[in-house]
Amino acid sequence: MATRGSLQEFNAATEFNAATDSITQYLERVDLYFTAQRIQDDLKVATLLSSIGASTYARLSDLLLPTKPSTKTLAELTALLQRHYEPPRIVIAERFQFRTRVQKEGESMAEFDAALRKLAIHCGFAGDRLTEELRDQIVVGLRKETDRKRLLTEADLTYKRTLEIVQASESAEKTTKSLRRHDTSEVLYTSRKQKHQKSSKTPPQDQPRDCYRCGGKHQPAVCKFKEAVCHYCKKPGHIARVCRAKAKQEKGKKPTHHMEHSYESDDSVNLINHVEERNHHQPPYVVHVSLNKVPMEMEVDTGAAMSLISNETFRQLQKNKTSQQLRKVALKPTTIRLRTYSEQQLVVLGTLKVHVRYEAQRAALSVLVVEGSGPSLLGRDWLKRLQLNWKELAAIHYTHQYPPSVEETLSKHKGVFSPELGKAAHIEAKLQVEQDATPTFCKARTVPYALREKVENELNRLEANGIIEPVKFSNWAAPVVPVLKPDGSIRICGDYKLTVNKAAKLDPYPLPKIEDLFARLAGGKKFTKLDIAHAYQQIPLDS
């Protein structure tokens, strides 16, 4: 009879050896081996004992002393092996391991999902709850914050949809990295530097160039200081050691621009100071101009080589009734490329010739249209043709560059910072009590002499604010518990466990455990603590 497959020894996991499979999986393979080999029932025990290996057989012998393993049935041996090598799991411990599992460095979504599924085996999750728990833990444990934000915007996020989104993001990232490795135009230079390099000796292709971000021997796109902020000029994308502004200041040389350009040189790469990044503490200089008789605002940016408007602004101008010319003129293609200081490439849709009017000045100028919805920038190309009223711009900018004072903020939001007690809107606290409950009346407890005045003052304050009211008779009464607050004042609490809590209908929904809360907060970077004055006293009680 031909042999079908083979049965290897079972190696239990130790500190220095990781088992290839668990005892359950090994016993499943044994059962399949019996079927494939058509082993009779009276030979199964002997086949198992002769195949499990010397160490496992010795362990079985120790567990069965003084009897021998060969005297036991197959069911007894398999049950003993499972009890020894896979003791009963503690569900809470297994769930803790599951909820604290996060995606590791370099771990793919498929590997992370497989690891979570393995941890969920002994957590008691079944049916739809298993997929929900897997979905939630994937969202909590993801390494990439951008993927987590993308998932949190999905209204009806399912487990399947979660895997599709994250795996699509991984695929796009791999494709982008592959394209970057083959992009020969990753390092961009100014036209002056390019001209100088043409006349100089070309370095070998395998010799890395100096990174302008940190001075190291690697490409700027992979520099670890790509998101760093210079301590000297406060601009992102490099460190103070290679700061050009610092070098110019120390050498006393006249500053030169990063980029010189012309519209005739369409293959040049132009530098744009910013498109989406803003400094909210220093508002931009804004000028009011008209493009083809359409009034609009543009930010003056001397760091921008060229003037530009966004595609969204261009569409708004086309819809304007007074801008008939823009609807007739189509965008002209261009090979001009734009990038920001942070090496972000801007998608240029085309160039457009417009009639510009600023105060009494008029000029026919070209403007670039870029993808997105960023601000319109008035760059150095327009500054050569337009004489701006810098005195007026400086006066307007000075009045807006400082944030509002504390007094102005408090005055603007009087309702929030008012010393009076607030009231929660659309919320009422309801106490559900059993109909056959017997009212409980507890006598007043003795208040320490040192706290009596403070307790009396607090009771008067509560009555004055309408939080409590005096009554002459009541079937229910709970003793007062005064709590001394850190600022020395008193908080009046009631010991309701002796009275209404015994008869109240409690919400059976379980409160979240601290482990669950920490697991959901995994990966968080910013946390806020809000302290609302007398928060519970702002919720009215249903009458």
Side-chain angles (χ1 to χ4, degrees):
M1 182 177 66
T3 302
R4 301 177 180 85
S6 60
L7 188 60
Q8 299 177 350
E9 296 181 358
F10 173 69
N11 294 321
T14 63
E15 182 180 357
F16 306 101
N17 172 49
T20 56
D21 51 11
S22 63
I23 188 63
T24 301
Q25 294 174 335
Y26 182 79
L27 293 176
E28 291 176 355
R29 291 171 53 206
V30 169
D31 187 60
L32 294 174
Y33 181 78
F34 289 162
T35 303
Q37 299 295 338
R38 298 179 181 179
I39 297 177
Q40 302 297 326
D41 292 342
D42 56 342
L43 298 176
K44 288 182 178 181
V45 172
T47 304
L48 173 64
L49 295 177
S50 61
S51 302
I52 58 177
S55 60
T56 309
Y57 182 83
R59 183 59 55 88
L60 268 177
S61 301
D62 294 340
L63 295 174
L64 291 173
L65 285 174
T67 60
K68 295 182 178 181
S70 58
T71 61
K72 299 295 182 181
T73 64
L74 180 65
E76 292 174 338
L77 292 176
T78 55
L80 181 60
L81 287 171
Q82 286 184 324
R83 285 198 307 270
H84 178 72
Y85 288 106
E86 290 185 0
R89 307 272 185 153
I90 301 177
V91 176
I92 186 62
E94 297 296 324
R95 292 183 180 179
F96 176 78
Q97 295 293 334
F98 175 81
R99 299 190 193 282
T100 54
R101 179 62 160 87
V102 296
Q103 190 178 22
K104 299 179 180 179
E105 181 71 29
E107 187 177 39
S108 66
M109 185 64 249
E111 295 171 342
F112 183 39
D113 178 54
L116 289 178
R117 281 185 167 276
K118 185 176 181 180
L119 291 174
I121 294 176
H122 304 285
C123 291
F125 303 144
D128 294 338
R129 186 183 177 186
L130 174 60
T131 57
E132 290 181 0
E133 294 288 347
L134 289 171
R135 176 202 62 188
D136 294 347
Q137 193 57 32
I138 289 174
V139 175
V140 171
L142 279 178
R143 288 187 59 84
K144 289 186 63 176
E145 186 67 24
T146 54
D147 289 347
R148 183 183 294 106
K149 291 180 179 179
R150 171 70 176 86
L151 294 174
L152 292 176
T153 58
E154 291 284 328
D156 299 321
L157 183 64
T158 62
Y159 167 68
K160 181 179 179 181
R161 179 60 177 161
T162 301
L163 295 180
E164 291 176 352
I165 293 176
V166 179
Q167 290 175 343
S169 175
E170 287 182 351
S171 177
E173 185 176 3
K174 291 180 181 178
T175 304
T176 303
K177 290 181 178 179
S178 177
L179 292 175
R180 285 179 178 175
R181 285 196 297 267
H182 296 84
D183 187 6
T184 58
S185 60
E186 184 64 31
V187 181
L188 306 176
Y189 298 90
T190 64
S191 55
R192 285 186 178 179
K193 190 172 184 179
Q194 290 173 346
K195 182 177 180 181
H196 173 71
Q197 287 178 347
K198 290 180 181 179
S199 60
S200 62
K201 184 179 179 180
T202 304
Q205 295 295 329
D206 57 348
Q207 181 179 355
R209 304 180 185 274
D210 290 344
C211 173
Y212 68 86
R213 300 185 186 277
C214 67
K217 295 293 184 180
H218 53 255
Q219 299 288 355
V222 298
C223 181
K224 65 179 180 179
F225 296 103
K226 185 176 181 179
E227 305 295 335
V229 178
C230 177
H231 294 299
Y232 183 82
C233 66
K234 307 303 181 183
K235 292 181 179 179
H238 65 277
I239 58 178
R241 182 174 59 191
V242 293
C243 180
R244 295 173 180 173
K246 181 180 179 181
K248 294 168 186 176
Q249 182 70 21
E250 292 176 352
K251 295 181 180 180
K253 293 184 178 180
K254 183 178 179 180
T256 57
H257 295 294
H258 275 278
M259 187 69 207
E260 290 199 358
H261 70 282
S262 64
Y263 280 104
E264 290 76 21
S265 179
D266 281 348
D267 59 347
S268 63
V269 180
N270 298 273
L271 189 69
I272 299 298
N273 224 354
H274 71 281
V275 172
E276 296 182 355
E277 291 110 0
R278 304 273 192 98
N279 188 336
H280 297 282
H281 298 289
Q282 295 293 334
Y285 288 87
V286 178
V287 295
H288 297 273
V289 298
S290 64
L291 273 58
N292 290 358
K293 299 182 180 181
V294 178
M296 63 179 300
E297 292 184 350
M298 298 186 71
E299 296 183 8
V300 180
D301 190 353
T302 58
M306 293 183 173
S307 302
L308 58 86
I309 60 175
S310 66
N311 188 32
E312 181 178 326
T313 302
F314 176 65
R315 289 196 297 265
Q316 293 176 356
L317 293 176
Q318 286 182 309
K319 296 178 182 178
N320 196 295
K321 296 181 179 180
T322 61
S323 181
Q324 300 293 336
Q325 296 177 356
L326 276 178
R327 283 186 284 183
K328 297 178 181 179
V329 179
L331 290 176
K332 295 182 179 180
T334 179
T335 58
I336 294 177
R337 293 180 295 166
L338 300 177
R339 66 174 174 84
T340 65
Y341 273 108
S342 58
E343 293 297 323
Q344 294 177 341
Q345 295 287 340
L346 302 182
V347 180
V348 180
L349 302 179
T351 182
L352 185 70
K353 201 79 170 183
V354 292
H355 295 283
V356 182
R357 179 176 180 178
Y358 171 69
E359 294 184 348
Q361 305 175 55
R362 293 176 175 82
L365 304 174
S366 296
V367 66
L368 295 177
V369 180
V370 298
E371 184 66 49
S373 58
S376 302
L377 300 184
L378 195 155
R380 297 194 300 271
D381 56 335
W382 282 23
L383 291 176
K384 294 179 180 179
R385 302 287 302 276
L386 300 176
Q387 298 294 327
L388 301 184
N389 190 345
W390 292 103
K391 183 179 294 185
E392 181 180 353
L393 287 176
I396 297 175
H397 182 79
Y398 181 78
T399 57
H400 293 86
Q401 66 176 334
Y402 296 106
S405 63
V406 177
E407 290 75 13
E408 292 175 345
T409 303
L410 294 177
S411 177
K412 183 178 180 180
H413 305 282
K414 292 182 179 179
V416 177
F417 298 101
S418 175
E420 289 79 12
L421 185 67
K423 180 180 179 181
H426 312 296
I427 298 177
E428 283 188 348
K430 295 183 178 181
L431 298 179
Q432 303 291 342
V433 182
E434 299 290 348
Q435 295 182 354
D436 57 348
T438 302
T440 303
F441 188 96
C442 295
K443 295 182 179 180
R445 294 175 179 171
T446 303
V447 180
Y449 290 105
L451 300 179
R452 286 190 178 184
E453 183 178 357
K454 293 183 177 181
V455 170
E456 193 69 26
N457 293 336
E458 179 64 12
L459 291 174
N460 293 335
R461 187 191 68 83
L462 295 176
E463 182 180 355
N465 289 333
I467 300 173
I468 62 175
E469 60 182 14
V471 294
K472 295 182 178 179
F473 176 80
S474 176
N475 292 328
W476 296 88
V480 170
V481 179
V483 179
L484 190 63
K485 299 171 66 175
D487 60 357
S489 59
I490 287 291
R491 177 187 291 114
I492 299 296
C493 302
D495 192 1
Y496 296 108
K497 66 181 180 181
L498 301 176
T499 57
V500 70
N501 283 3
K502 295 181 178 180
K505 298 179 180 180
L506 301 180
D507 189 349
Y509 188 83
L511 294 176
K513 300 180 180 179
I514 189 65
E515 293 84 359
D516 299 339
L517 297 178
F518 286 156
R520 293 186 180 276
L521 291 175
K525 295 181 179 179
K526 295 182 179 180
F527 302 92
T528 302
K529 178 181 179 181
L530 299 178
D531 187 6
I532 304 176
H534 309 290
Y536 287 108
Q537 297 177 4
Q538 299 187 26
I539 304 177
L541 185 63
D542 182 28
S543 57

